[in-house]
Amino acid sequence: MNNESSILERTADLATSVKLRNSFAVLVVDDEATNAVLLSEVLKQEGFTCDYSLSAQEALERPDIGTISLVVTDIRMPGMSGVELAESLQNRGDCPRIIFITAQAELQVISRAMTLQPFGYMEKPFSIVQFRELVERAFQEYCEEATHHQTLVNLADEVKEQEKELEFRTERLVSEQELIQGIIGNATFGLIAVDDQLQTYLLNEVATNLLQLKLQSTKTYLGVPLIDLLPAECSQDVMDLCTTVITSGQLLETNFRNPLTERLLSIVSYPVWRRQTINAAVLVIHDVTDKDILQKRLLQSAKLASIGELAAGIAHEINNPLGFVTSNCNTLAGYVDAITKYLHALENNSKDPALSEAMQAELNELRTSLDMAYIVGDLKPLVAETLDGLGRVSKIVRDLKTFARVESDSPQLSNLNALIEDALNLVRNETKTKLDIQKQFSELPEFLCFPGQLVQVFTNMFVNAAQAVAKHGTLTIRTTCETNILCVAIKDDGEGIPEKHLSRVFDPFFTTKPPGKGTGMGLSISYGIVERHGGSITVKSEPGEGKEFVILLPLNGVEAQSTPGAS
């Protein structure tokens, strides 16, 4: 392969040499025709393009004189001498190489000839070998100049190509910068970029408005410390986020309400790495006020939908105690009539200090007929039962109000076990005939949470469990607390979830229930609620063996979600 390459290179060099030799045009100028023809033929045999002229004037009048590379001229000729020929060529701008030939010449003429810087000078007589060598040296110089010229031409072409490429890239870069600036300027979200010294080098108008930045125009921020642009009300949250991102190298997110505008802002910040070093941080800011309002409305709608599904059961649960409370009240009314009648009789006879035996017998008969002993004995249990019924109604109404109320933005201290009990109380009619409830509760600390939302989560879980069993089953609820994380495991022994559906159970509107039995939003909303508390919810299931939901809730989850830098 190397031999073939070498042969190809030599062939290319030879072709180039032949081409150059053919292009090296030589003109012999001599008034002696014999010499002119002889020298011309010698050069033709060497492969040169060669011709001759018998006088200097004839040479000047040749139409191809401008293409001649070498002029071999006798100095002494009738009329115009060779020196004058060379001078005329130079004055016309034609500058071929000149070789002067002479048998004898005056010193003054030779000096004049030398001022023209000829390529060579030969005195007659000279040998053909000397002539060939001198012309060959002229040709070699021509080749070097041609090669140099071609190199310059190639370099010039390359420079032009690079200039075109540079111009193209410059136009493209300018176009891309204009495009990027247009995207940034027209973005519907705020965008800020700071270097590792927290100095601003990118900012759009949306970010300026959302954070109420202090600057005259978006062109006055370059190199300005971000903290100098931020209003005091926002600086702590934003600067803490930037500092944490640059030091930790993690993508972080925080939500906070701008006190100046009362708008709820979501800020996602990520680091920019270069050569394994963080040299910038980018902040993407969204106004999520409307989204937050919509989310709250969605949660409230889901609550109302759940209340609608539970309404019949809740009404039944309230009707039961109301029934016996009503019955007890009717009985109490009869008791009151009897007691009143008995008391009147006593009052009428109380004025007689000594009751007659007949009157005493009448009172005894009245006591017996009114069954006063039973009434007195039944009063306390009757009142206690009535109060218990009223307490049950009151708890149902209270739990229902807690569940249905619009949640405030402020979390409350609550006990997780108590919230589970509240949810169980709400769904009692759904579960009492279908599920045996096994509660395995551990002692749990109170934690900050949104209680109504967590009750909604557990209500969804318990109703799902009741609907999952065909006739009768067991629902096991286990709570624990380890390393500041609350854990709730809710397991039923129903039909389970097919494996193909496990990855979609938390998707909005996904349900395997028949029409009219669910909206497909319960588990999706539950997932969002748990996530809002900084926790997680997972499900395990085997077809025919039931399913188990595991909910993990950090004790400081709500606090972390509201702290800058929380992810």
Side-chain angles (χ1 to χ4, degrees):
M1 189 69 181
N2 291 335
N3 291 337
E4 291 179 3
S5 299
S6 178
I7 292 172
L8 289 174
E9 289 176 2
R10 288 199 299 272
T11 302
D13 292 341
L14 180 60
T16 301
S17 177
V18 171
K19 183 178 179 181
L20 288 173
R21 190 172 289 270
N22 290 334
S23 67
F24 185 68
V26 183
L27 178 64
V28 178
V29 183
D30 198 325
D31 59 326
E32 294 182 11
T34 304
N35 289 340
V37 172
L38 175 62
L39 295 177
S40 177
E41 289 300 321
V42 168
L43 295 179
K44 286 180 179 179
Q45 290 176 5
E46 293 297 317
F48 297 113
T49 300
C50 188
D51 202 357
Y52 65 89
S53 293
L54 299 178
S55 70
Q57 190 63 41
E58 179 185 334
L60 287 174
E61 293 174 355
R62 290 176 63 94
D64 62 346
I65 189 64
T67 64
I68 299 302
S69 304
L70 174 65
V71 174
V72 180
T73 180
D74 192 0
I75 290 180
R76 294 176 63 87
M77 290 185 294
M80 183 181 288
S81 68
V83 175
E84 291 172 330
L85 170 62
E87 289 174 342
S88 296
L89 289 173
Q90 285 191 0
N91 291 335
R92 289 169 49 169
D94 298 322
C95 301
R97 290 164 184 79
I98 303 294
I99 295 178
F100 287 123
I101 301 173
T102 187
Q104 57 180 359
E106 297 175 359
L107 181 60
Q108 184 179 0
V109 175
I110 294 175
S111 298
R112 181 181 173 186
M114 291 300 104
T115 61
L116 298 174
Q117 297 181 342
F119 181 80
Y121 179 86
M122 298 184 71
E123 291 185 3
K124 296 178 183 179
F126 54 82
S127 69
I128 295 300
V129 173
Q130 289 176 319
F131 177 65
R132 285 175 180 164
E133 288 178 352
L134 185 57
V135 173
E136 188 66 36
R137 288 205 309 273
F139 172 67
Q140 291 300 324
E141 184 180 276
Y142 168 80
C143 289
E144 291 174 1
E145 288 185 1
T147 302
H148 181 65
H149 174 72
Q150 187 61 46
T151 301
L152 292 177
V153 170
N154 292 340
L155 285 174
D157 291 341
E158 186 177 345
V159 168
K160 288 181 180 179
E161 288 298 321
Q162 290 181 351
E163 286 177 347
K164 289 181 181 179
E165 179 69 17
L166 181 60
E167 183 179 355
F168 170 75
R169 291 190 178 186
T170 302
E171 290 178 355
R172 183 174 177 180
L173 180 61
V174 170
S175 177
E176 288 177 351
Q177 286 180 334
E178 290 176 350
L179 176 62
I180 292 172
Q181 289 297 328
I183 292 173
I184 293 173
N186 293 293
T188 57
F189 53 85
L191 190 64
I192 299 176
V194 295
D195 60 19
D196 55 355
Q197 301 300 314
L198 300 180
Q199 293 181 338
T200 312
Y201 68 87
L202 190 149
L203 174 65
N204 70 353
E205 188 175 353
V206 178
T208 303
N209 295 333
L210 290 177
L211 293 175
Q212 296 290 291
L213 299 182
K214 301 177 292 185
L215 72 165
Q216 299 300 320
S217 71
T218 54
K219 296 182 180 179
T220 62
Y221 62 81
L222 287 174
V224 178
L226 181 59
I227 193 169
D228 293 344
L229 301 177
L230 290 166
E233 294 81 355
C234 302
S235 60
Q236 185 69 42
D237 293 295
V238 178
M239 295 308 297
D240 284 353
L241 180 61
C242 291
T243 303
T244 305
V245 168
I246 289 177
T247 55
S248 69
Q250 297 179 345
L251 185 149
L252 302 174
E253 179 179 1
T254 185
N255 291 340
F256 80 97
R257 193 172 295 278
N258 187 342
L260 298 176
T261 61
E262 288 302 318
R263 305 296 291 181
L264 182 64
L265 304 180
S266 170
I267 304 181
V268 177
S269 182
Y270 59 89
V272 177
W273 293 81
R274 187 171 183 267
R275 296 177 182 175
Q276 300 180 337
T277 302
I278 298 173
N279 63 353
V282 176
L283 288 81
V284 180
I285 310 166
H286 286 91
D287 185 340
V288 294
T289 308
D290 296 337
K291 178 183 175 182
D292 184 62
I293 293 172
L294 185 61
Q295 205 167 34
K296 288 179 179 178
R297 288 177 180 172
L298 181 62
L299 284 172
Q300 192 64 16
S301 297
K303 287 181 181 181
L304 295 176
S306 297
I307 291 172
E309 292 182 11
L310 299 173
I314 293 173
H316 181 74
E317 289 301 307
I318 291 176
N319 277 335
N320 277 345
L322 282 180
F324 63 72
V325 167
T326 302
S327 175
N328 288 350
C329 286
N330 290 330
T331 304
L332 279 174
Y335 287 174
V336 169
D337 289 341
I339 293 172
T340 301
K341 185 177 180 180
Y342 184 71
L343 290 176
H344 283 167
L346 285 177
E347 183 180 355
N348 292 334
N349 292 283
S350 61
K351 297 176 182 179
D352 189 355
L355 295 175
S356 62
E357 290 184 7
M359 187 58 65
Q360 188 67 43
E362 183 180 348
L363 287 174
N364 289 336
E365 183 181 353
L366 185 59
R367 183 186 298 113
T368 302
S369 63
L370 293 176
D371 203 1
M372 291 299 296
Y374 175 79
I375 290 174
V376 172
D378 194 37
L379 272 174
K380 277 191 176 182
L382 192 66
V383 171
E385 187 180 31
T386 301
L387 292 174
D388 177 67
L390 291 173
R392 286 168 57 184
V393 172
S394 176
K395 180 167 175 52
I396 290 172
V397 172
R398 185 174 62 253
D399 292 344
L400 192 59
K401 285 173 65 180
T402 300
F403 178 73
R405 73 183 177 192
V406 177
E407 199 82 57
S408 69
D409 288 334
S410 302
Q412 301 174 21
L413 277 175
S414 302
N415 183 277
L416 191 62
N417 292 338
L419 298 181
I420 294 173
E421 292 285 8
D422 290 346
L424 286 172
N425 189 54
L426 281 175
V427 300
R428 184 171 178 273
N429 192 68
E430 300 286 330
T431 61
K432 65 182 180 182
T433 59
K434 301 193 71 175
L435 293 173
D436 291 330
I437 309 296
Q438 294 185 359
K439 293 180 284 189
Q440 302 173 6
F441 290 172
S442 302
E443 289 291 329
L444 302 179
E446 288 190 332
F447 73 117
L448 277 176
C449 68
F450 299 96
Q453 293 183 15
L454 290 181
V455 170
Q456 184 177 359
V457 171
F458 299 134
T459 300
N460 287 332
M461 298 291 174
F462 301 154
V463 171
N464 284 344
Q467 293 174 346
V469 296
K471 293 182 178 179
H472 197 81
T474 301
L475 177 66
T476 304
I477 308 169
R478 179 168 48 87
T479 63
T480 56
C481 181
E482 296 181 5
T483 61
N484 294 326
I485 294 179
L486 298 171
C487 175
V488 184
I490 302 170
K491 179 176 175 58
D492 66 57
D493 54 2
E495 297 177 356
I497 303 173
E499 185 177 354
K500 63 180 181 180
H501 292 157
L502 275 177
S503 61
R504 299 186 59 197
V505 293
F506 298 112
D507 291 351
F509 304 109
F510 176 77
T511 180
T512 58
K513 298 175 184 177
K517 286 292 185 179
T519 62
M521 290 297 292
L523 289 178
S524 174
I525 290 174
S526 298
Y527 187 92
I529 291 172
V530 173
E531 197 174 54
R532 184 185 181 191
H533 285 77
S536 65
I537 178 171
T538 56
V539 59
K540 296 182 292 184
S541 179
E542 291 290 337
E545 297 184 12
K547 60 185 178 294
E548 181 179 27
F549 287 95
V550 177
I551 300 172
L552 301 178
L553 297 168
L555 287 178
N556 63 342
V558 172
E559 292 179 1
Q561 288 296 299
S562 60
T563 301
S567 60

